[in-house]
């Protein structure tokens, strides 16, 4: 239901934006708390580190995006090995990056270029019944509207890592101090 509501609203999301400085740790922690029962039920180990970054975004919309990514990590875990999700931040001169990496079933190489397309479920989505092909599509569209970049890297049977890039921008600092 959440996904449907965000899909309908995504075309007009910018009318509801409240872009301000937000702590990555706070947004990630709120998503982890929301999904704690899934982690416990599925015996997923979490490793969260280096999230002491402030980024300019809308926390409500970003929390939705992070929730979609975490839900996919849980949904596509490999039942034959110890399950783990690692979440961490990094930065370079131009951006702050949020990495969410799982050791799940991974994505077949031929599916990777299409994972952000509307309704694309791919090989894994056909094997697992709860795939709609909308979560990553909505997440990508919202990231574009927020001015963020999102992409993923994956190796089948090993891992999937989703990266969200938040641009560093002096404009916000000038406006904030005015």
């Amino acid at each position: 239901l959440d996904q449907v509501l965000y899909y309908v609203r995504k075309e007009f999301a910018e009318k509801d934006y409240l872009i301000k400085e937000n702590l990555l740790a706070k947004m990630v922690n709120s998503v982890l708390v929301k999904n704690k029962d899934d982690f416990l039920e599925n015996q997923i180990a979490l490793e969260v580190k280096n999230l002491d970054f402030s980024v300019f975004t809308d926390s409500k919309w970003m929390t939705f995006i992070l929730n979609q990514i975490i839900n996919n990590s849980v949904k596509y875990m490999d039942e034959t090995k110890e399950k783990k999700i690692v979440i961490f931040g990094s930065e370079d001169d131009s951006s702050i990056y949020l990495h969410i990496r799982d050791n799940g079933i991974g994505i077949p190489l031929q599916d990777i270029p299409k994972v952000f397309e509307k309704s694309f479920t791919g090989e894994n989505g056909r094997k697992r019944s709860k795939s709609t092909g909308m979560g990553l599509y909505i997440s990508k569209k919202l990231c574009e509207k927020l001015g963020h970049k999102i992409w993923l890297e994956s190796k089948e049977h090993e891992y999937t890592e989703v990266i969200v890039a938040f641009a560093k921008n002096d404009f916000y600092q000038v406006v904030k101090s005015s």
Side-chain angles (χ1 to χ4, degrees):
L1 180 59
D2 221 19
Q3 201 176 60
V4 171
L5 292 172
Y6 275 86
Y7 174 71
V8 171
R9 295 179 67 204
K10 78 170 176 46
E11 293 303 319
F12 307 101
E14 62 275 0
K15 294 179 188 217
D16 187 40
Y17 285 168
L18 179 56
I19 305 290
K20 65 179 190 173
E21 195 169 13
N22 289 281
L23 294 173
L24 270 185
K26 186 175 180 182
M27 290 184 292
V28 168
N29 286 337
S30 72
V31 172
L32 296 180
V33 168
K34 182 177 180 179
N35 289 282
K36 72 179 182 324
D37 292 338
D38 285 336
F39 301 137
L40 292 170
E41 181 181 326
N42 292 289
Q43 298 177 324
I44 298 170
L46 292 172
E47 184 178 331
V48 180
K49 55 188 177 184
N50 200 31
L51 292 178
D52 295 328
F53 294 100
S54 290
V55 297
F56 286 91
T57 193
D58 180 286
S59 64
K60 177 179 77 171
W61 293 96
M62 196 64 224
T63 299
F64 171 82
I65 293 165
L66 296 176
N67 196 57
Q68 292 301 302
I69 297 166
I70 294 292
N71 285 335
N72 280 355
S73 289
V74 171
K75 191 185 324 183
Y76 295 108
M77 277 292 165
D78 185 339
E79 299 298 324
T80 66
K81 60 185 175 185
E82 183 181 339
K83 303 170 203 162
K84 187 174 189 177
I85 297 173
V86 179
I87 303 170
F88 64 97
S90 66
E91 70 177 320
D92 61 22
D93 290 341
S94 63
S95 298
I96 294 170
Y97 303 94
L98 176 63
H99 305 259
I100 301 170
R101 182 182 178 109
D102 65 58
N103 67 341
I105 61 174
I107 300 169
L109 187 60
Q110 70 273 12
D111 286 354
I112 292 174
K114 302 176 195 168
V115 295
F116 292 104
E117 292 179 9
K118 185 177 183 179
S119 301
F120 181 76
T121 58
E123 187 177 316
N124 290 338
R126 289 181 189 84
K127 292 177 186 173
R128 309 238 173 165
S129 62
K130 293 183 180 180
S131 181
T132 64
M134 296 303 288
L136 288 178
Y137 166 75
I138 296 169
S139 296
K140 174 119 179 155
K141 292 297 179 190
L142 289 172
C143 277
E144 288 171 355
K145 288 180 179 259
L146 288 166
H148 310 321
K149 291 182 174 43
I150 184 171
W151 68 93
L152 64 77
E153 300 167 359
S154 186
K155 185 166 184 184
E156 197 170 12
H157 308 296
E158 288 189 29
Y159 75 93
T160 298
E161 182 172 346
V162 179
I163 302 107
V164 179
F166 303 87
K168 292 180 178 178
N169 190 331
D170 292 338
F171 170 76
Y172 292 112
Q173 297 301 329
V174 172
V175 171
K176 192 172 103 174
S177 63
S178 298

